[in-house]
Amino acid sequence: MNHSRITGWGKYIPEKCLSNLDIEKFVNTGHDWIVSRTGIEQRYIANDDENCSMMAVKAIEKSLEQANRSASDLDLIIVATNTPDYLVPSVSSIIQHNLGANCPAFTVVTGCTGFMYALITAHQFLATGAYSCISIVGVDTISRFLDWNDRTTCVLFGDGAGAVVLEATNKPYGIISFDMGSDGAKGMQLAIPGFGSAVKMDHAMLNRGDQFLSMVGSDIFKFATRIVPPTIRKIVDAADLVLNDIALFVPHQANIRIIESATKELVIDKEKIFSNIHHYGNTSAASIPLCLIDIVAQKRVNIGDYLCLVSFGAGLTWASAIVRWGTHLD
């Protein structure tokens, strides 16, 4: 049982949908400007009663139902988020309790790559035989930390949660190869600088606006377009495949121009590049699982297909994997 496969999937999307036309009413921007520079047409924003743990629990419950599992079957819960309910206690323990699960739980905080880091980590527990059934959820409420007067950030992000159940199997499915990396040299180019032990929590911090997400977009663009082609080549080679063997490329949904530029170098057929950024915006750690769930819903993947998942984000970090699709239904 040295393989793993995704057997269940589920998502939770907040009720409130914020379109570009809505944003036009309070930010000096326009629908056409946002679409041309990001590809985003709308995003979903959490209400006051929709926090990180609540959305994660809803998504996990749906994924367990899809997998014909219950919370009692879980050996481990891994939560990928940048926006937990609190700094302490860990949101993963809150989620574990609210699910009614009796298993360990921990949180991965690696920016937008969090879900990929969690997926790769879960695979190790299953491949070694330590565990047999793991829940992984990517969830973020980035809207809580946006300056809604800053059009360089507020138009980009949305909230949501996507979860999968990963189970051990003796069939050759799941993660075939992977790559992870970190380059902290320009980590503060994408940051929420006002929270943590490195800063003093006072009115001066709030007056500076350090509680809000800040981003140097040009540096993030350069980083993403530099790192995506080589990490894809690396995992394709490691899986003993060629690019044409990949049924679908699933990049982190940060910006449509990043996706187009990063994949142009590889000469990938546009029909093989999946994107739903127009619908959700950048949902950070929830981005990749929401893509997977939409791919299944749109019947874009078949048993045995190879998917190339690639993510990049705060840290600065990246993570990618070749996943051979297989479920409990095959």
Side-chain angles (χ1 to χ4, degrees), residues 144-148 191-195 206 209-214:
R144 297 278 206 273
F145 302 92
L146 294 177
D147 178 355
W148 288 96
I192 301 175
F195 295 99
L206 296 174
D210 287 349
Q211 71 273 31
F212 298 127
L213 181 74
S214 65

Side-chain angles (χ1 to χ4, degrees), residues 82 87 145-147 150 153 187-202 204-216 314:
N82 310 285
L87 288 179
F145 302 92
L146 294 177
D147 178 355
D150 178 9
T153 56
M188 294 307 293
Q189 306 295 50
L190 178 55
I192 301 175
F195 295 99
S197 62
V199 295
K200 184 178 181 180
M201 304 278 287
D202 56 18
M205 181 273 286
L206 296 174
N207 291 336
R208 290 192 302 269
D210 287 349
Q211 71 273 31
F212 298 127
L213 181 74
S214 65
M215 180 176 67
V216 181

Side-chain angles (χ1 to χ4, degrees), residues 16-310:
K16 181 181 179 181
C17 179
L18 190 69
S19 70
N20 292 344
L21 296 178
D22 294 324
I23 289 181
E24 281 183 358
K25 298 174 184 177
F26 57 86
V27 179
N28 182 23
T29 188
H31 171 77
D32 292 341
W33 185 91
I34 297 172
V35 172
S36 66
R37 286 162 176 77
T38 70
I40 300 168
E41 299 177 10
Q42 63 177 42
R43 72 286 294 148
Y44 293 86
I45 305 298
N47 291 317
D48 291 345
D49 60 346
E50 293 175 312
N51 57 22
C52 176
S53 62
M54 174 268 194
M55 294 197 299
V57 167
K58 295 291 188 183
I60 292 172
E61 288 176 338
K62 291 178 181 177
S63 69
L64 289 170
E65 181 180 357
Q66 172 69 32
N68 294 322
R69 294 291 187 181
S70 67
S72 62
D73 294 316
L74 293 176
D75 298 314
L76 175 66
I77 298 168
I78 308 179
V79 180
T81 188
N82 310 285
T83 55
D85 292 5
Y86 315 99
L87 288 179
V88 179
S90 172
V91 71
S92 49
S93 293
I94 296 172
I95 291 166
Q96 169 263 317
H97 170 71
N98 290 342
L99 278 171
N102 182 23
C103 66
F106 63 84
T107 306
V108 174
V109 186
T110 55
C112 298
T113 63
F115 178 83
M116 290 301 300
Y117 267 70
L119 187 72
I120 293 165
T121 300
H123 171 70
Q124 312 310 310
F125 283 107
L126 299 174
T128 61
Y131 296 133
S132 61
C133 184
I134 300 177
S135 173
I136 307 137
V137 60
V139 52
D140 265 311
T141 52
I142 296 291
S143 67
R144 297 278 206 273
F145 302 92
L146 294 177
D147 178 355
W148 288 96
N149 295 308
D150 178 9
R151 75 171 185 173
T152 65
T153 56
C154 75
V155 303
L156 297 175
F157 295 92
D159 302 328
V164 299
V165 176
L166 202 66
E167 298 190 54
T169 179
N170 55 11
K171 296 184 178 181
Y173 295 127
I175 292 179
I176 306 301
S177 62
F178 65 88
D179 180 43
M180 297 188 293
S182 175
D183 181 1
K186 291 188 176 182
M188 294 307 293
Q189 306 295 50
L190 178 55
I192 301 175
F195 295 99
S197 62
V199 295
K200 184 178 181 180
M201 304 278 287
D202 56 18
H203 289 294
M205 181 273 286
L206 296 174
N207 291 336
R208 290 192 302 269
D210 287 349
Q211 71 273 31
F212 298 127
L213 181 74
S214 65
M215 180 176 67
V216 181
S218 58
D219 281 350
I220 302 305
F221 185 93
K222 292 175 184 176
F223 166 73
T225 53
R226 173 176 61 85
I227 203 65
V228 168
T231 192
I232 289 178
R233 290 193 186 99
K234 183 176 181 178
I235 59 174
V236 170
D237 288 345
D240 197 23
L241 301 172
V242 296
L243 288 174
N244 284 340
D245 293 325
I246 307 301
L248 212 56
F249 292 83
V250 187
H252 167 53
Q253 304 294 298
N255 182 310
I256 195 65
R257 294 205 298 183
I258 290 179
I259 294 172
E260 291 173 348
S261 179
T263 55
K264 182 179 180 181
E265 179 182 328
L266 299 172
V267 194
I268 298 171
D269 185 346
K270 289 185 177 181
E271 294 300 315
K272 284 191 171 187
I273 303 172
F274 184 82
S275 178
N276 58 11
I277 192 172
H278 63 286
H279 188 72
Y280 298 111
N282 181 350
T283 55
S284 192
S287 175
I288 294 292
L290 288 178
C291 283
L292 287 175
I293 293 162
D294 282 359
I295 286 167
V296 175
Q298 296 173 23
K299 299 181 179 180
R300 297 282 301 275
V301 63
N302 299 304
I303 299 297
D305 279 353
Y306 291 104
L307 303 179
C308 177
L309 315 181
V310 58

